[in-house]
Amino acid sequence: MNPIDLFESALAFHPGGAVRAGEPRMTTDDGGWQLAAFRVRTDADVHADHWEVHPAAEEAVCCLSGGLRIYFRPEEPGGEEEMARLAPGTAVIVPRGRWHRLELDGPSEIMSIGLRRGSRQERRTDAP
């Protein structure tokens, strides 16, 4: 058994119990749940200029080191964005089908656990 570097590979948990290491994919469905860890330095590394949605399941976004903010797009036109600040050792559950995006407080290590089936990204129209 060889150790798997979680910052280089994601783990995919498939129906029937198989677990496979592979390339982290944020919007591509490989049929299973994905656990992926990332070392990120700038907002560009987390696509802060894009909204993302996962319609098949909730997603756990975890801060391992550093700090980040997760923003939720308003559910009603004209509404305010909601924001959750994550410090090391904290996580937030993103509701199924809720558009969200990340911004960093500084260099960080983050982990996400989700089912990517049907996931999409959309460029922010208000991005600087």
Side-chain angles (χ1 to χ4, degrees):
M1 297 293 155
N2 293 321
I4 298 165
D5 182 340
L6 291 178
F7 291 105
E8 296 294 326
S9 298
L11 297 180
F13 296 81
H14 296 277
V19 179
R20 303 277 184 263
E23 181 181 342
R25 299 169 190 259
M26 297 316 294
T27 58
T28 303
D29 177 29
D30 66 355
W33 286 81
Q34 177 182 258
L35 179 147
F38 304 93
R39 287 187 177 106
V40 291
R41 300 190 59 74
T42 69
D43 284 343
D45 294 334
V46 293
H47 309 289
D49 61 345
H50 281 75
W51 291 104
E52 180 177 73
V53 67
H54 310 292
E58 294 177 334
E59 176 186 32
V61 177
C62 314
C63 180
L64 304 176
S65 70
L68 62 112
R69 288 159 279 127
I70 184 163
Y71 292 89
F72 297 93
R73 186 158 74 181
E75 294 187 89
E76 301 294 327
E80 299 275 328
E81 288 183 358
E82 295 176 58
M83 187 266 290
R85 185 175 298 276
L86 298 181
T90 64
V92 68
I93 305 299
V94 178
R96 176 191 315 238
R98 186 75 190 267
W99 288 92
H100 59 283
R101 64 184 178 85
L102 302 177
E103 289 184 5
L104 301 178
D105 292 335
S108 302
E109 294 176 328
I110 60 177
M111 180 173 59
S112 69
I113 305 164
L115 186 61
R116 304 296 176 211
R117 187 177 316 121
S119 295
R120 299 186 321 272
Q121 289 184 341
E122 180 179 283
R123 185 176 269 300
R124 288 176 53 202
T125 57
D126 65 338

